Amino acid sequence: MHRLSLLACLFLLPLAGCGDDSAPANAQPGQTAAAPQPLAQTPQQADADSHASPKPAETKTFRDWIVGCDNGLACRAVALAPEDEIQPTLMLTLDRAAGPGAVPEVHITGQKERLPPVTISVGGTQLAKGGTAADGAVQFDGADAERIAAALGNGRRLAVSDGTGKAIGTVSLSGAAAALRWMDERQGRAGTSGALVARGSKADTAPAPALPVIRAVPVRGEAALLDPARVAAMKREAGCETDRDLGPPQAKPLGDRTLVLLPCSSGAYNLMMAVFTVRDGKHTPAQFDAPSGMSEDDSPIQNVVDGSFENEVLTSFARGRGLGDCGIRQEFVWDGTRFRLSRQEEMPECRGSKVYLPTWRARVVR
């Protein structure tokens, strides 16, 4: 069964200011006051922590396509494997940033690395030829990407051939028009000259929303030594498996305390790691502003999945199945008190795509 909800796919996942609109005292009849100008922000104000509660956005599936946008309205549409295919030869991803004039980017990926040049056609009409190499994919942008995007809703399949004209594979376009229409609506482009589907005459002027700000603190220092008694106590508190060895805990410096990632339980392809901090000889469950990994919202002890803490970022990747073509990827940063969700990507459909959809993003200031 390809199509799974995100919860089922992860098997254990219970996973404005006001202005004065009155006329000036010396206004003439019929004259209105000039619109109040926003106050300029100092760098300190612009970088102040917004203390926003993370609210990852939902994704939407339209037959063989899925689409999602994060809170900054960066959107991505992904072609999925048709229901009768397990591992598609090719996948297509379309990314578009928010804001006036943002041009889409199109990426062609597959089960093995793809290199340019390639030719893209829909219904026998050639749309673009060439492309550039980008992390194992072939990328089209600018006018080529706009032509490809405009044609996605007008055919049944998109065909890709190599530089010699030999066919590489096809991508299903079933649901593509609806997915791109949904993207246009989310970005405020429906009915504008910038829409990908059903363009209108209105100007493409919707601005990109401001991202919430997280002020992260430096995490210098040295990690505390973890004695066996403390590790055993943390395992008891977290309810960890005790009948097999899941490996030693990771201890990382976290400023005035130590971060502990404690291997706690394991499924077929996910290693759950309970997260603690140690300070002044005492350990406590680490605090988070959003559920991590496969943790429940109200769980007193949070878990990350196959977690690591590198470059001051705590990561978690909860896979829905071993292929890694569905699940949740998360990044957290430390603000001195708790871990804050700075980035989340999801893929609720287990249908071949290892490219995930953006659902939450914050601007991290250090």
Side-chain angles (χ1 to χ4, degrees):
M1 173 175 174
H2 290 302
R3 185 167 183 164
L4 301 173
S5 70
L6 189 54
L7 296 181
C9 206
L10 295 179
F11 70 90
L12 287 177
L13 181 59
L15 174 44
C18 298
D20 182 358
D21 59 1
S22 61
N26 60 350
Q28 300 300 314
Q31 179 182 355
T32 58
Q37 298 300 309
L39 297 176
Q41 285 189 319
T42 65
Q44 291 82 2
Q45 290 174 322
D47 291 343
D49 196 310
S50 55
H51 301 287
S53 297
K55 294 184 173 75
E58 295 183 352
T59 62
K60 187 78 171 177
T61 302
F62 300 91
R63 296 191 294 277
D64 292 339
W65 280 69
I66 188 169
V67 60
C69 303
D70 65 21
N71 51 300
L73 294 184
C75 296
R76 174 174 292 161
V78 175
L80 301 170
E83 293 287 354
D84 57 351
E85 292 184 26
I86 298 177
Q87 292 190 2
T89 303
L90 290 176
M91 305 293 287
L92 184 147
T93 301
L94 185 146
D95 288 286
R96 196 179 196 187
V103 177
E105 291 183 357
V106 173
H107 294 84
I108 303 294
T109 60
Q111 300 303 318
K112 61 181 181 179
E113 182 179 19
R114 293 295 171 191
L115 297 174
V118 299
T119 299
I120 308 296
S121 303
V122 171
T125 299
Q126 179 176 308
L127 302 172
K129 184 175 183 179
T132 57
D135 297 325
V138 178
Q139 175 178 315
F140 289 91
D141 49 23
D144 284 342
E146 290 186 309
R147 280 195 301 274
I148 295 170
L152 293 179
N154 299 324
R156 298 182 60 186
R157 302 191 78 84
L158 176 144
V160 182
S161 57
D162 64 17
T164 67
K166 180 181 177 181
I168 296 175
T170 62
V171 174
S172 171
L173 298 181
S174 176
L180 298 185
R181 188 182 299 275
W182 187 91
M183 181 187 294
D184 284 338
E185 291 174 354
R186 291 286 292 138
Q187 293 186 327
R189 290 190 167 98
T192 75
S193 59
L196 297 176
V197 178
R199 291 188 175 188
S201 59
K202 295 186 295 184
D204 178 14
T205 59
L211 296 177
V213 175
I214 300 175
R215 267 215 166 267
V217 301
V219 292
R220 311 292 185 262
E222 295 184 3
L225 295 177
L226 301 178
D227 61 86
R230 184 179 303 283
V231 172
M234 288 189 290
K235 286 184 176 181
R236 286 195 300 271
E237 292 177 29
C240 298
E241 296 179 14
T242 57
D243 58 346
R244 55 178 173 156
D245 183 9
L246 298 176
Q250 299 179 30
K252 301 283 187 175
L254 199 64
D256 61 352
R257 65 199 78 189
T258 294
L259 169 66
V260 179
L261 303 180
L262 181 68
C264 195
S265 60
S266 178
Y269 32 77
N270 288 313
L271 174 64
M272 278 63 75
M273 310 171 81
V275 188
F276 288 86
T277 61
V278 177
R279 184 182 186 186
D280 298 331
K282 298 180 180 179
H283 64 268
T284 57
Q287 300 300 302
F288 287 76
D289 71 346
S292 61
M294 294 182 174
S295 304
E296 297 182 20
D297 291 11
D298 58 352
S299 174
I301 299 177
Q302 295 285 300
N303 295 280
V304 292
V305 181
D306 292 329
S308 67
F309 187 67
E310 304 293 340
N311 300 316
E312 303 188 351
V313 176
L314 176 63
T315 60
S316 178
F317 182 15
R319 293 170 176 81
R321 62 179 183 174
L323 290 174
D325 62 345
C326 49
I328 300 177
R329 294 191 182 109
Q330 295 172 302
E331 295 181 0
F332 297 87
V333 295
W334 179 250
D335 71 356
T337 303
R338 59 181 177 165
F339 282 104
R340 307 271 297 280
L341 182 64
S342 59
R343 188 178 188 87
Q344 182 164 306
E345 295 183 335
E346 305 176 37
M347 177 51 71
E349 300 279 358
C350 301
R351 293 172 59 184
S353 177
K354 296 180 182 178
V355 179
Y356 284 28
L357 303 175
T359 56
W360 177 259
R361 183 167 41 115
R363 185 165 66 91
V364 178
V365 177
R366 290 187 169 88

